[in-house]
Amino acid sequence: MAEIVYPPVIGAALTMFRALDMKIRVEGAENIPRTGGAVLVSNHISYLDFIFAGFAARPAGRLVRFMAKKEVFDHRISGPLMRGMHHIPVDRSAGASAFGAALKALRGGEVVGVFAEATISRSFTVKDIKNGAVRMAVAAGVPMVPVALWGTQRLWTKGRPRKLLQRHVPVTILVGEPMNPKRGDDYDAATVALRARMTELLDQAQRTYPEIPQGVWWQPRHLGGTAPTPEEAAAMDAAEAEARRKPVSGESQVE
């Protein structure tokens, strides 16, 4: 397929990284295959994670097709960019369509990026994940590659103001060894193993980060930060979901 949009977007991102003197550390990039399909599975702590997870695939010369919620594609600015980069829209009311599009891309030799937690983790730990990444990898006969991102939450995350022009922010990107679930495997058990590997990589990224201050909002609670605990974060997510379900004031309800 023609790549008219993706290369300029990458160029703009690299220019921004240099201008902001961003300290990006990538380890394990050799684990991303140079040819053939793969499911790249990353943790999710920032609205910018797709940029940095995709950055991990640059040494392999790969472009990652990320699965993202349909609303991003409907936006007047981000929509044309997402479609131009051939990312995959996910309509949560019609998930089979997105799954089919991802399988087609994987079988065509593409790398498909998945944020298996579905939403940003407010606790900056790995939330429970769904088994979609495992099912895709098995159906397409391709490996899963776990990725951990750390530092991206300092730029833009849920419930915090954007600081896109913040300078000298370290960002760590760790790529784990491929995992190869097979037909006949227990998908839930494989998902548990995937989450454990992502958690291990994230813990390594957090504990080797250049800045480990105490009492800052962007550090998880178990490392001395003030981010919500996983339990508190889950309660916040539940309250947010409930608020979305409630009708707008004055909206009629069907009895």
Side-chain angles (χ1 to χ4, degrees):
M1 66 182 77
E3 297 295 350
I4 299 172
V5 177
Y6 219 143
V9 169
I10 292 173
L14 293 175
T15 299
M16 180 188 73
F17 295 162
R18 287 192 294 267
L20 297 177
D21 192 27
M22 201 168 287
K23 311 297 185 183
I24 302 176
R25 175 170 67 99
V26 181
E27 292 185 7
E30 68 277 4
N31 290 317
I32 296 178
R34 291 185 172 273
T35 60
V39 181
L40 189 154
V41 192
S42 174
N43 68 314
H44 200 11
I45 54 175
S46 168
Y47 292 110
L48 305 176
D49 285 339
F50 72 97
I51 296 175
F52 294 95
F55 186 82
R58 286 191 71 245
R62 308 302 302 272
L63 297 176
V64 183
R65 315 299 176 182
F66 285 97
M67 302 184 75
K69 62 183 180 180
K70 177 179 174 292
E71 290 80 0
V72 179
F73 291 80
D74 293 336
H75 191 274
R76 64 184 180 86
I77 296 175
S78 63
L81 291 174
M82 296 293 282
R83 288 188 291 274
M85 290 184 281
H86 307 293
H87 294 313
I88 302 169
V90 178
D91 183 344
R92 289 173 183 167
S93 65
S97 175
F99 189 86
L103 279 186
K104 181 179 179 180
L106 290 168
R107 288 168 176 162
E110 300 277 2
V111 177
V112 171
V114 176
F115 296 106
E117 297 164 280
T119 57
I120 287 174
S121 171
R122 301 175 193 259
S123 67
F124 307 135
T125 60
V126 181
K127 299 163 62 174
D128 288 339
I129 64 176
K130 302 184 183 301
N131 66 12
V134 173
R135 291 191 295 112
M136 279 193 295
V138 171
V142 301
M144 298 184 304
V145 182
V147 174
L149 305 175
W150 190 243
T152 61
Q153 77 279 17
R154 299 176 62 180
L155 301 171
W156 188 14
T157 194
K158 182 177 288 188
R160 307 292 306 190
R162 283 176 288 188
K163 293 189 176 181
L164 302 181
L165 300 181
Q166 189 175 180
R167 291 175 57 79
H168 315 303
V169 174
V171 171
T172 298
I173 306 169
L174 301 185
V175 183
E177 294 182 0
M179 304 174 71
N180 294 279
K182 305 295 183 186
R183 292 190 185 277
D185 288 352
D186 182 325
Y187 288 179
D188 290 337
T191 301
V192 169
L194 172 62
R195 180 176 182 269
R197 184 62 179 129
M198 293 170 65
T199 297
E200 179 184 338
L201 287 169
L202 180 58
D203 185 70
Q204 180 184 345
Q206 290 168 336
R207 294 182 185 277
T208 59
Y209 194 64
E211 300 178 15
I212 312 182
Q214 297 291 302
V216 293
W217 66 266
W218 50 265
Q219 279 280 48
R221 192 74 64 86
H222 70 277
L223 291 180
T226 60
T229 64
E231 295 75 19
E232 291 168 345
M236 294 166 71
D237 287 344
E240 183 179 77
E242 178 63 25
R244 283 199 300 266
R245 284 193 292 268
K246 289 182 178 178
V248 177
S249 179
E251 182 180 331
S252 62
Q253 298 186 58
V254 178
E255 298 295 326

